[in-house]
Amino acid sequence: GICTLFHIVRFRRTGESTRSEDDGENREEVVRIAEQNELESVALTDGAPVPREFANPTDDTFMVEDAVEAIGFGTFQVKLSILTGLSWMADAMEMMILSILAPQLHCEWRLPSLQVALLTSAVFIGMMISSSLWGNIADKYGRKTGLKMSVLWTMFYGVMSAFAPVYGWILVLRALVGFGIGGAPQSVTLYSEFLPMKSRATCILLIEIFWALGTVFEVLLAILVMPTLGWRWLLGLSTIPLFIFSLLCFWLPESARYDVLTGNQEKALATLKRIATENGAPMPLGKLIAARQEERGKIQDLFSAHFRWTTVLLWFIWFANAFSYYGLVLLTTQLFQEGGACGSNKMELRCNLECKYLNSDDYKDLLWTTLSEFPGLLVTLWAIDRLGRRKTMALCFFVFSMCIIPLYGCVGRTSMTVLIFVARAFISGGFQAAYVYTPEVYPTATRALGLGMSSGMARVGALITPFVAQVMLESSVYLALSVYCCCCLLAAIASCALPIETTGRGLQESSHREWGQEMMGRASSESSGGMPASSSVSQG
């Protein structure tokens, strides 16, 4: 084993010294591949179950993964959390506006409920069209570029939509805002690539605190602004976090993993050194190498034999997540106005155009149900490393369905608020779990694409949901509730059926190397009673 190792090291040195522009690069590529395969086989023959990623960082070569692990969590990641959080917060606010804007425009412009639902759908149509596009931009031109573009775009059209004179204009402008929001998941891609493995799940969940803050902030803003200044000011003021983000954006580094993948070693090394300095941690010694270069993500990679089943199930889970989450957000204002199933008899007689503005009680209850996102986070934070990602998702979907069932009965205002509170806590928790699981399951080359396509499916769910929550609800409360209940029960089953559990394993650099390690990981997790060995550490 040692002999081959020495041989490889010398071989790579010669590969470097005889480097002519293009030729040398290819040769080094070959060398790198050879070396990696040898290293793996050496590790396996020696009986050491340590995957290549966790090899001693003081070897004379290291990968981005090793460096990120060695530098650890510190000041840099805290700053990055706040910045990523801002783009997330803005996203949440643009979403939350929809449930406040709908009743308002329904009254002010005398819109039929179909047009109100279409206004919500327009945003999601924009998001759906753009989410894979932003994913491609992020994979081609870098995570930072994609994120900056999407934020500026959203900010511009967000401010513009405050000046919309008629329904047609606001429809187009909100769709363009949606187009920009489609790029927000790229902030999570960038963020997760700078996080050490131990703290990844916890951090991505903490980012979601900003989502919850955004929704709460939006409702508070509505309570202040709507009675006096009206909805146009609400739309304008809701772009504040985006404005702050765009000012602070110049501080963001490009993802080091991305730089290495595109052959930009020096830039990646500079970024890593900068993080090490900010965190006051030592850099690993030696030369930065890439995991074996692969073509960057294509759609068919998501359907390779290894990922096919995972991709299909994940798409349904994301669909159900968004369908139920946004459905509940829109249902909340509708049910509060109607008084739930009790009001359904009176509701049958109601004319389509008759309208009610939201009153202060409605806003107060909206605030309460919005606050449920915080306990939802805590539930997921507690469960995600103890139960594993898949069981956490299944649990969240199941509890949501259980909370919807009592709404069939004639429950009072208070118990309705409590049920919606619990349902929303768990469905937002399920969303967070999906956000942790998806980037972990796909390798670097297809990660942004995998996340982009998944959130694209989520947009489809969100796009359909207004027609259930706003249009179908008018004809039958029971039918609308049944749709959400069944959808989530199916999603709970789908979560259990996912083939790969990612708790306590590294982000995958390359999809070729992952298979053996995956099987090893699965074997060890089954032997320890279905709990991955390293899951207890992950809270640290």
Side-chain angles (χ1 to χ4, degrees):
I2 292 159
C3 171
T4 46
L5 263 171
F6 175 68
H7 174 64
I8 298 151
V9 171
R10 205 187 60 226
F11 183 28
R12 176 162 20 94
R13 292 278 177 271
T14 56
E16 273 168 39
S17 59
T18 60
R19 182 184 218 171
S20 67
E21 279 300 70
D22 221 331
D23 192 312
E25 199 133 351
N26 293 347
R27 193 170 312 128
E28 196 173 339
E29 199 53 64
V30 176
V31 174
R32 222 184 271 152
I33 291 167
E35 160 219 330
Q36 203 169 5
N37 290 349
E38 291 280 354
L39 273 173
E40 272 170 38
S41 58
V42 169
L44 291 174
T45 48
D46 290 354
V50 181
R52 171 71 188 94
E53 287 100 306
F54 308 117
N56 177 10
T58 54
D59 284 351
D60 63 345
T61 62
F62 64 94
M63 298 190 316
V64 175
E65 172 99 350
D66 303 322
V68 171
E69 294 298 326
I71 295 168
F73 187 89
T75 327
F76 173 82
Q77 279 85 354
V78 173
K79 287 186 195 168
L80 191 62
S81 304
I82 294 169
L83 201 54
T84 316
L86 272 173
S87 79
W88 226 208
M89 186 171 166
D91 206 13
M93 287 171 68
E94 295 296 337
M95 294 290 86
M96 201 58 207
I97 287 180
L98 298 173
S99 63
I100 297 163
L101 200 59
Q104 188 68 27
L105 291 181
H106 183 57
C107 291
E108 205 168 301
W109 290 353
R110 298 273 168 224
L111 302 176
S113 62
L114 195 66
Q115 284 189 338
V116 175
L118 201 61
L119 189 63
T120 309
S121 290
V123 178
F124 291 112
I125 290 170
M127 288 160 100
M128 193 181 73
I129 296 168
S130 71
S131 58
S132 60
L133 183 85
W134 291 119
N136 282 334
I137 290 175
D139 283 346
K140 277 207 180 63
Y141 303 106
R143 320 296 196 214
K144 182 181 176 176
T145 317
L147 191 57
K148 260 168 140 173
M149 282 170 63
S150 75
V151 164
L152 291 170
W153 178 289
T154 313
M155 187 171 79
F156 178 72
Y157 288 107
V159 174
M160 290 302 286
S161 59
F163 298 104
V166 287
Y167 176 74
W169 269 102
I170 200 160
L171 195 64
V172 171
L173 287 167
R174 293 317 286 171
L176 287 167
V177 168
F179 190 90
I181 294 177
Q186 296 317 323
S187 62
V188 178
T189 311
L190 176 68
Y191 185 54
S192 66
E193 291 182 352
F194 278 121
L195 292 175
M197 197 184 104
K198 277 214 308 286
S199 44
R200 192 177 307 117
T202 317
C203 288
I204 291 180
L205 287 178
L206 290 178
I207 279 290
E208 299 293 343
I209 286 182
F210 284 95
W211 177 278
L213 279 173
T215 49
V216 171
F217 182 59
E218 187 59 51
V219 176
L220 289 171
L221 197 61
I223 291 173
L224 292 172
V225 171
M226 288 296 272
T228 50
L229 298 171
W231 60 270
R232 293 179 190 277
W233 278 90
L234 183 69
L235 285 180
L237 291 172
S238 297
T239 57
I240 292 171
L242 286 171
F243 180 68
I244 299 171
F245 180 86
S246 55
L247 289 181
L248 299 176
C249 219
F250 60 86
W251 176 84
L252 265 183
E254 182 50 84
S255 161
R257 285 171 197 257
Y258 170 82
D259 280 337
V260 166
L261 254 189
T262 48
N264 212 337
Q265 254 81 343
E266 292 75 29
K267 198 171 160 210
L269 206 57
T271 306
L272 290 170
K273 280 184 179 143
R274 169 183 157 189
I275 302 173
T277 321
E278 281 202 36
N279 287 2
M283 265 292 277
L285 306 167
K287 175 173 179 278
L288 181 65
I289 58 161
R292 180 169 31 208
Q293 286 266 343
E294 294 183 343
E295 282 298 298
R296 252 158 296 164
K298 292 195 205 62
I299 304 258
Q300 56 263 37
D301 299 345
L302 300 179
F303 290 97
S304 63
H306 180 194
F307 287 118
R308 193 175 303 139
W309 194 222
T310 301
T311 301
V312 171
L313 287 172
L314 263 182
W315 281 9
F316 178 68
I317 287 167
W318 278 77
F319 171 87
N321 248 325
F323 181 73
S324 313
Y325 175 81
Y326 293 120
L328 194 65
V329 171
L330 296 170
L331 270 176
T332 307
T333 46
Q334 297 281 345
L335 288 174
F336 283 156
Q337 283 187 324
E338 310 312 343
C342 326
S344 63
N345 310 331
K346 298 197 287 284
M347 230 163 94
E348 310 299 335
L349 309 170
R350 236 188 73 208
C351 160
N352 195 359
L353 281 175
E354 188 201 322
C355 90
K356 275 185 183 166
Y357 287 95
L358 291 174
N359 58 32
S360 58
D361 279 352
D362 292 333
Y363 280 125
K364 236 177 273 157
D365 288 339
L366 193 60
L367 184 63
W368 278 116
T369 52
T370 308
L371 286 170
S372 68
E373 307 232 345
F374 293 105
L377 273 169
L378 293 174
V379 167
T380 316
L381 208 53
W382 179 85
I384 200 140
D385 283 319
R386 288 177 177 76
L387 299 179
R389 318 312 196 215
R390 295 176 299 180
K391 285 184 189 153
T392 304
M393 289 192 274
L395 173 78
C396 289
F397 283 126
F398 182 71
V399 175
F400 177 84
S401 304
M402 292 302 100
C403 288
I404 292 293
I405 293 169
L407 292 175
Y408 286 105
C410 188
V411 291
R413 178 91 177 207
T414 315
S415 45
M416 186 161 75
T417 309
V418 170
L419 284 167
I420 292 176
F421 182 92
V422 177
R424 181 150 169 189
F426 276 90
I427 198 68
S428 64
F431 231 143
Q432 328 312 0
Y435 256 116
V436 173
Y437 179 84
T438 311
E440 285 183 338
V441 133
Y442 293 114
T444 300
T446 49
R447 186 171 302 128
L449 186 70
L451 193 62
M453 292 303 288
S454 296
S455 60
M457 285 311 289
R459 309 306 183 209
V460 176
L463 193 154
I464 300 167
T465 212
F467 296 99
V468 179
Q470 290 173 330
V471 182
M472 192 194 280
L473 192 83
E474 294 209 330
S475 51
S476 163
V477 176
Y478 302 110
L479 193 58
L481 292 175
S482 308
V483 173
Y484 289 113
C485 194
C486 297
C487 180
C488 277
L489 286 173
L490 287 172
I493 298 164
S495 308
C496 296
L498 282 167
I500 306 171
E501 174 58 85
T502 62
T503 310
R505 77 171 198 183
L507 276 188
Q508 304 305 320
E509 290 291 349
S510 144
S511 53
H512 293 295
R513 216 184 36 216
E514 161 187 40
W515 191 227
Q517 185 190 332
E518 179 48 51
M519 296 322 286
M520 276 163 46
R522 185 141 8 134
S524 70
S525 75
E526 274 160 18
S527 64
S528 62
M531 279 288 282
S534 54
S535 63
S536 51
V537 193
S538 308
Q539 279 292 323

